[in-house]
Amino acid sequence: MVVLDETAIALLAPLVARDFQLGSEVRHLMVTPFAAAFIVALPATAVALRSVDARRFVAPAAATFAFTALAGALAVSPQWLVLARAAQGATAAVTATCVLASLHAIAGSGRARIRDFAVFTVISGSGAVASLIIAAPLAAVSWRWSFVAVSVGAAACAAIWPAALRSSPAPRVATSGPPDPFRSTMPPWTALAAVAAANALLAASVITTSFVLQDDHGWSVTETGAGFLPLNAAAAVGAALASRVVPRLGPGRALLMGLAVLAVGCVAVSAAPGVSGALIAATVPVGMGVGLTFPLVNDRTLATAGEFPVRRAAELGAAQQTGLATGALVAAMDSDGASYLLSGCVIGIACLAATLGPGSRDRSRGRQRS
């Protein structure tokens, strides 16, 4: 539901701008308060839940997120909407952190762990698809109904979670035994930088595409939502390939490949000619890069988190929201040069991650032995 909300914002921003008589600054007005509150709430979440089973806090966090989404639907001024988005960001921080910590606690190891994170990426992507299929038609009536849909969905998640918790396996995080080559991790700060970079490229590409299709080509919100379906289909394909790519290339090279594809897609979106079909085609490598990158960076970040991973999950959430806010600001600049610069920075981060990854260290030791 958090993914559904964040995807819907890219579609709703032009409608909100017209309703409140705002210009392009609404692009970051809709994203930045959410992201800022998300980041501010993370340290408190990490401290408060540092030594507990985070799975038990998902339901109340989701219920509170539902309430704040309803507040957004009732906004009567830009100021009210900013406050509602900030409240959503804070409650989403707790929800997303607990969900990621729960996934870490019940995920397998080795290739199965990458597979579990890939499945999680596909399911998260289904939230984006639901936003395009459900929220977009609702927004054609009023953008407020999209917030209502998020509120109802989050409330349903809160109601269902306790039954899911009772049937879930006990945490199975390994605390001893030989090291697992799939669990060996690149430096955490490198993985977090890659998380921020990937989210920045995604946000910049999606928000730019949404505004171009609606403002320059006159597409409706529903048509724009359908235009993003190829991106989400490509993300599903990329996530399905992720667990097969990592064993063959190693974590560093796999991450480099995923971020490179994502960067190429962002550049293609900025450089696409004034033809809607070309712009939609340019989003396909963005989706493929997302599918390849997200499972790997999420797993690499949490791989050494231990039995109580809330602190590391909070760091992951901060990196994600920092990237989304950065991407929104780049989109608000409406400059091809800014997108090219962002893509170049991401490629640099990817090369650094590949250099510092465990696979490169293993190859270095092999050359020394020979």
Side-chain angles (χ1 to χ4, degrees):
M1 295 310 305
V2 172
V3 170
L4 190 154
D5 175 83
E6 293 184 313
T7 304
I9 292 308
L11 300 173
L12 300 180
L15 299 179
V16 176
R18 297 167 196 161
D19 197 2
F20 289 127
Q21 298 180 346
L22 298 171
S24 62
E25 64 268 19
V26 79
R27 301 187 188 194
H28 59 84
L29 182 148
M30 296 288 286
V31 176
T32 304
F34 183 101
F38 195 112
I39 294 172
V40 169
L42 287 172
T45 303
V47 172
L49 305 180
R50 64 183 181 276
S51 58
V52 300
D53 186 352
R55 297 178 299 166
R56 300 187 180 279
F57 291 87
V58 173
T64 309
F65 179 68
F67 177 79
T68 57
L70 184 60
L74 300 175
V76 295
S77 67
Q79 293 78 13
W80 182 328
L81 184 60
V82 167
L83 291 175
R85 289 296 294 163
Q88 277 190 273
T91 54
V94 181
T95 305
T97 300
C98 291
V99 167
L100 284 169
S102 301
L103 176 63
H104 169 73
I106 65 174
S109 60
R111 184 177 298 183
R113 180 177 172 84
I114 298 293
R115 181 204 62 206
D116 291 342
F117 275 87
V119 170
F120 178 73
T121 298
V122 173
I123 294 174
S124 299
S126 71
V129 174
S131 177
L132 304 178
I133 295 176
I134 299 173
L138 289 174
V141 180
S142 171
W143 60 266
R144 300 176 187 275
W145 281 106
S146 295
F147 279 86
V148 172
V150 170
S151 178
V152 172
C157 290
I160 294 170
W161 184 267
L165 180 60
R166 286 192 296 270
S167 62
S168 67
R172 53 189 185 192
V173 177
T175 57
S176 62
D180 185 340
F182 290 92
R183 291 285 303 279
S184 60
T185 181
M186 62 188 65
W189 67 268
T190 308
L192 291 171
V195 170
N199 279 276
L201 287 178
L202 176 63
S205 300
V206 169
I207 294 175
T208 297
T209 301
S210 178
F211 268 84
V212 170
L213 290 176
Q214 293 184 60
D215 289 351
D216 296 346
H217 295 280
W219 285 34
S220 68
V221 177
T222 303
E223 291 171 334
T224 303
F228 280 117
L229 290 178
L231 182 153
N232 287 275
V237 173
L241 294 174
S243 61
R244 299 180 180 273
V245 169
V246 173
R248 296 179 180 180
L249 298 181
R253 288 184 176 181
L255 180 59
L256 175 60
M257 182 180 73
L259 287 177
V261 172
L262 186 51
V264 168
C266 184
V267 170
V269 167
S270 298
V275 179
S276 56
L279 184 61
I280 292 173
T283 65
V284 172
V286 174
M288 182 65 71
V290 164
L292 289 169
T293 302
F294 279 17
L296 183 56
V297 294
N298 290 341
D299 167 53
R300 296 298 96 183
T301 304
L302 291 168
T304 57
E307 186 177 356
F308 300 110
V310 171
R311 181 181 66 83
R312 188 63 60 76
E315 293 173 354
L316 179 60
Q320 291 172 339
Q321 294 304 317
T322 300
L324 292 173
T326 301
L329 290 173
V330 169
M333 293 177 187
D334 197 19
S335 168
D336 292 345
S339 297
Y340 299 157
L341 178 61
L342 177 62
S343 299
C345 292
V346 170
I347 293 296
I349 292 172
C351 292
L352 181 62
T355 301
L356 297 179
S360 61
R361 292 197 296 270
D362 293 342
R363 290 190 296 272
S364 177
R365 285 195 295 266
R367 286 194 296 269
Q368 291 174 0
R369 285 194 298 268
S370 61

